[in-house]
Amino acid sequence: MILTDEEKRMLDGQYGDLVRKSMKILVALGEIYGAEKMLDINNVHSPGVSYRVAGDAGLNFVKDASVAGRFEVPVTLNTIGIDSENWEELGFPRCFALKQLELLQAYHTMGAISTYTCTPYLVGNIPLRGEHVAWGESSAIAFVNSVLGARTNREGGPSALAAGITGKVPAYGYHLDENRKGKYLFKVDIDLKTDRDFAVLGYFAGKIAGTDVPVFEGIKRRPTLENLKALSAAVASSGAVALYHIVGVTPEAPTTEAVIGKQEPIRFGKKEYEEVVAKFSLEGDIDFVVTGCPHCSINEVRRVAQLLAGKKVKADFWICTSRQVKTLADKMGYTEIIREAGAQIVCDTCPVLAPTSSKGYKKLVTNSAKLAHYAPGLWNLKTGLIEIEDCVEAAIKGYWGGKV
Amino acid sequence: MNTKVIKGRKIVEGIAEGEALVTKEPISFMGSINPKTGYVIERGHEIEGQCLKGKVLVFPRAKGSTGGSYMLYDVVKNGVGPVGIVNVEADSVVVIGAIVADLPMVDKIDIGEIETGDYVVVDGNNGVVKVQKRDNDTMGD
């Protein structure tokens, strides 16, 4: 790897031990993946901010860093393990919350921006096409690469921290043109309408594509931002997809030929759709309903508020979102409608990253493939992946009949 | 002694050895593993219920959350993690976790050559994996 004189000084320890260690991580990655040089970045989204993820090892890692230095470039923070302003009322365990707050303090000391969301692109961190960035959060990585056309690899907590300290990333992987072409071509043969439809497609494709780039053709209806958010989360849960292309929709794929060579497409039709849905089918008494994985946009909060208006829920119902979107929801009166119905807007966190609830939930329904994928292992829940209207109905009745 | 030497690519330096725990399914250290106990908790995973402690963990590739880097670091720091990693294709999330946890790691290995219970040496300095098959002759020793 060829380093500039300045980068060599960083690696030699002339800017202190934290910069030296950070460069060491980045150079190690660069050497493994055959990077020829470093790239300058001015934008990081840091994962590993939940204490559930970081653990004591991660907490000490970040605390040590915060004593030694500051972020050189803007760093937004991913979803955390508690609602930072409402954790006591929501019943998050105190010992966990205190550790979480300690971890946040360390990030704040370094100058991070307190977004606490998996949707930084909804709250102002919107890199432009071709911009090199260092992002964590698997769903946000897929979104920023695919939908916005910016360029990032799948950064974990320590490498995002190193990138924030140095303002550098090694030039490999998705930073380079030659690695942004498609590998697997999917032909979508059904009309995708809802966020769940896109989540199902993503879950199907992620399992096949693994770490490679899927290309989708045949999607006729122009997807909404929320559709793409759901697709990005799903494709990075069943697989490790960091980039996908939708022909005629995403910026790097004006045509199929522009992103992938000629090949026999993999069909995604009714049968394939129903196979994924069957994996997450569930019926009976429902005690937990969650939407907002990734965090709800204001449009999604509004939809839930409309469906809940004048009703009462039997099951616990979390609408997970960022603090910034909740502020909007407060202004628009949605928060009040949701509270009246007995449901809750939960900020900063989600069941993927929060500690297991002490309430002993047994069955969860959600419209998120990502949450449906992780909740059985992380929270010991049976999960159903259903439409948002059905989630609200299940919350109201405390029961779900299991129709697809 | 039936030892097979498989040449791969060095990812993280260092040498580790132990019994292999092999799966043909991808792993997400965030979600598949409990970092406090080292057990695999992902429902329906091929090695659900197995413990990583002291094992050379052999799997094709990573999947899922970028939280996996810290969770790999955490499971190792908690003393219940693997001692080395062998992959078909290394994903950056696991690589970063392995770097900060000082976990020897090699990829570009045909993992079909390794079975759970084989004794494996991961040589991250040379990018080599040495596999000593479970030898039926020594079972009664």
Side-chain angles (χ1 to χ4, degrees):
Chain A
M1 214 177 165
I2 298 165
L3 299 181
T4 64
D5 290 345
E6 173 76 354
E7 287 160 359
K8 280 180 195 154
R9 283 194 290 274
M10 294 166 97
L11 189 60
D12 288 346
Q14 292 190 33
Y15 297 96
D17 201 42
L18 180 62
V19 171
R20 184 187 65 79
K21 273 191 194 150
S22 300
M23 276 305 266
K24 197 177 157 215
I25 291 174
L26 299 173
V27 169
L29 276 173
E31 297 282 354
I32 290 165
Y33 290 107
E36 291 175 358
K37 60 174 184 175
M38 289 287 174
L39 295 166
D40 290 327
I41 54 158
N42 53 19
N43 185 322
V44 174
H45 181 66
S46 177
V49 193
S50 165
Y51 174 65
R52 175 161 190 163
V53 171
D56 284 326
L59 172 60
N60 290 329
F61 190 86
V62 180
K63 273 171 73 178
D64 289 350
S66 73
V67 173
R70 300 290 173 267
F71 288 126
E72 194 61 32
V73 296
V75 175
T76 50
L77 294 181
N78 200 37
T79 307
I80 61 174
I82 57 172
D83 183 312
S84 65
E85 292 182 7
N86 203 21
W87 59 267
E88 280 179 300
E89 191 190 314
L90 284 163
F92 287 98
R94 184 174 182 80
C95 53
F96 179 95
L98 294 180
K99 290 274 196 180
Q100 176 67 73
L101 294 171
E102 206 180 328
L103 180 56
L104 295 181
Q105 186 53 51
Y107 274 114
H108 295 165
T109 303
M110 299 178 77
I113 301 163
S114 317
T115 42
Y116 308 154
T117 182
C118 42
T119 57
Y121 48 86
L122 291 180
V123 299
N125 189 352
I126 313 171
L128 302 184
R129 184 173 177 188
E131 185 173 354
H132 296 286
V133 300
W135 276 33
E137 169 54 37
S138 59
S139 71
I141 291 162
F143 191 95
V144 77
N145 268 325
S146 315
V147 180
L148 301 181
R151 298 180 171 209
T152 184
N153 287 318
R154 282 162 46 82
E155 303 294 352
S159 67
L161 193 115
I165 296 289
T166 59
K168 308 271 180 190
V169 290
Y172 74 95
Y174 295 107
H175 291 289
L176 307 178
D177 288 342
E178 61 263 33
N179 299 322
R180 296 180 68 86
K181 296 292 179 208
K183 176 85 179 283
Y184 293 93
L185 181 62
F186 291 86
K187 170 107 174 52
V188 178
D189 273 346
I190 50 172
D191 188 17
L192 305 177
K193 298 188 186 106
T194 67
D195 296 341
R196 184 185 76 154
D197 290 347
F198 279 85
V200 170
L201 169 64
Y203 202 83
F204 174 80
K207 198 151 193 172
I208 294 168
T211 52
D212 285 311
V213 180
V215 176
F216 303 108
E217 64 174 14
I219 295 178
K220 292 184 185 67
R221 197 182 296 258
R222 178 159 282 272
T224 63
L225 184 149
E226 290 79 10
N227 293 160
L228 295 167
K229 177 162 74 70
L231 173 62
S232 301
V235 83
S237 298
S238 60
V241 170
L243 168 68
Y244 59 83
H245 300 293
I246 304 177
V247 175
V249 174
T250 56
E252 291 168 48
T255 61
T256 306
E257 296 71 39
V259 282
I260 193 165
K262 242 192 153 27
Q263 62 173 266
E264 193 58 37
I266 300 159
R267 184 173 176 273
F268 179 77
K270 195 160 179 288
K271 178 174 151 281
E272 290 76 17
Y273 182 96
E274 282 170 0
E275 273 170 16
V276 175
V277 169
K279 178 179 161 67
F280 297 112
S281 70
L282 181 69
E283 57 188 304
D285 292 339
I286 301 296
D287 47 11
F288 196 30
V289 180
V290 178
T291 189
C293 171
H295 277 165
C296 283
S297 69
I298 188 65
N299 298 325
E300 292 173 284
V301 178
R302 173 171 54 202
R303 182 81 186 115
V304 172
Q306 283 168 344
L307 292 164
L308 276 177
K311 309 272 178 42
K312 288 280 180 200
V313 295
K314 282 201 183 118
D316 280 7
F317 188 3
W318 285 15
I319 296 99
C320 297
T321 191
S322 60
R323 178 95 31 213
Q324 295 84 347
V325 165
K326 178 172 178 290
T327 304
L328 268 177
D330 292 349
K331 278 244 184 257
M332 316 271 304
Y334 304 147
T335 309
E336 191 55 34
I337 293 169
I338 288 166
R339 193 167 31 222
E340 288 279 310
Q344 268 169 324
I345 292 187
V346 175
C347 290
D348 311 323
T349 189
C350 71
V352 176
L353 293 166
T356 309
S357 170
S358 58
K359 292 192 177 171
Y361 298 124
K362 292 196 168 57
K363 285 186 184 172
L364 164 85
V365 289
T366 176
N367 63 340
S368 163
K370 176 170 180 170
L371 183 58
H373 172 79
Y374 284 112
L378 290 172
W379 276 42
N380 199 20
L381 293 171
K382 291 194 166 66
T383 57
L385 173 61
I386 61 178
E387 300 291 352
I388 187 64
E389 293 80 6
D390 297 330
C391 285
V392 173
E393 191 189 318
I396 291 165
K397 291 183 177 160
Y399 179 84
W400 173 242
K403 80 177 158 74
V404 171
Chain B
M1 220 31 108
N2 179 15
T3 302
K4 195 169 4 178
V5 178
I6 313 174
K7 180 84 184 117
R9 174 173 68 162
K10 62 178 181 183
I11 298 290
V12 181
E13 290 175 351
I15 296 174
E17 55 190 277
E19 220 175 80
L21 176 59
V22 183
T23 173
K24 291 183 180 60
E25 295 179 6
I27 287 178
S28 169
F29 280 92
M30 153 73 206
S32 299
I33 313 294
N34 180 334
K36 291 197 172 65
T37 64
Y39 279 85
V40 178
I41 54 166
E42 184 182 333
R43 291 291 178 277
H45 197 283
E46 188 188 356
I47 55 168
E48 180 185 353
Q50 303 272 337
C51 187
L52 306 185
K53 185 177 177 181
K55 300 286 170 61
V56 170
L57 185 60
V58 182
F59 60 105
R61 60 184 58 83
K63 65 174 179 180
S65 170
T66 49
S69 299
Y70 276 134
M71 286 188 102
L72 172 55
Y73 182 46
D74 202 34
V75 76
V76 172
K77 281 274 177 181
N78 289 337
V80 291
V83 293
I85 289 181
V86 176
N87 276 176
V88 175
E89 188 65 49
D91 174 74
S92 56
V93 170
V94 172
V95 173
I96 294 153
I99 290 173
V100 296
D102 285 324
L103 209 55
M105 179 169 173
V106 171
D107 84 337
K108 306 282 185 205
I109 295 291
D110 173 6
I111 63 168
E113 302 271 313
I114 312 171
E115 290 171 282
T116 293
D118 290 348
Y119 198 79
V120 173
V121 179
V122 184
D123 181 348
N125 300 333
N126 296 302
V128 164
V129 175
K130 292 174 194 154
V131 184
Q132 196 180 320
K133 301 304 285 182
R134 269 181 308 184
D135 193 344
N136 291 331
D137 296 344
T138 62
M139 286 291 273
D141 288 0

